[in-house]
Amino acid sequence: SQQGEEDPQALSIQEGENATMNCSYKTSINNLQWYRQNSGRGLVHLILIRSNEREKHSGRLRVTLDTSKKSSSLLITASRAADTASYFCATAGTSYGKLTFGQGTILTVHP
Amino acid sequence: GAVVSQHPSRVICKSGTSVKIECRSLDFQATTMFWYRQFPKQSLMLMATSNEGSKATYEQGVEKDKFLINHASLTLSTLTVTSAHPEDSSFYICSAEAGTSEATNEKLFFGSGTQLSVL
C-alpha cells in the first residue's frame, strides 16, 4: 500500500526561485529516496538518505529526514525550467529494492 | 552508470490480446527485478518482485495469472499482460537491483517504462 504522502501536489514557481517538496511516511524505514520523472518517462534517481542521516546535499538538491516525524523534504535551489517534472519520494524498509512511492509533486518552473 | 533497457516503450493492442514487456539489465546481473504500474498522474504501485530462477512474488491484489512474470536469466525479466483489457492500460516500469551489499537500495536502476494502451 502507498504510505508516502507528498505535498504540495503541484507547485508552480519562477525560474531562480527555490522549490520545496515534503514527504511523510507511516512505517519505519531503512532509507528514503527521491526520484524525478519527466512526463511519460522512466524514473531518475536523485538522492538517497539513510535513516540515520538527517541531511544530505547533491548539487542544487538538499534533502532532510526527520525520522521522529516520519517526514522528509526536498529542496531544489535556483530552479530552472528544465527542473519541470514530477518528483516522488520512495521509502525502503528491510526488503531491499522494494520501494513504496509517495503520490508525487508536479513541479512547474516558468522561464 | 548501470543501464536498464525496457522494451517496447509504447504498445497499442486490441482487447483480448497478450502483450509482453521486456526488462534487461545491460551491464550488470540482476538477481532481482521489480515491476511497477503507474496510472496517469498517479504514483507507482509495486506489482511484483521477480527473482531469477524462481517464481515471482506478487503484491496483494495483483492477479498472477493476469500478469505473468518470467525471470529466466540474470539479465532479463519479462512481464506478459494476458488477455489485455482497456482497464489494463497503464504505464509499466521495471527496476533492477545491482549488487548484493546492504546498500542495494543505492543500486536500483529503472527502465524507461512502457505505455500500454488497450483498445
Side-chain angles (χ1 to χ4, degrees), chain A residues 31-50:
Chain A
N31 63 67
L32 185 145
Q33 302 173 43
W34 285 90
Y35 287 84
R36 166 197 169 122
Q37 182 182 38
N38 285 79
S39 181
R41 304 293 295 274
L43 294 174
V44 175
H45 181 268
L46 296 177
I47 197 165
L48 178 150
I49 185 165
R50 297 180 184 278

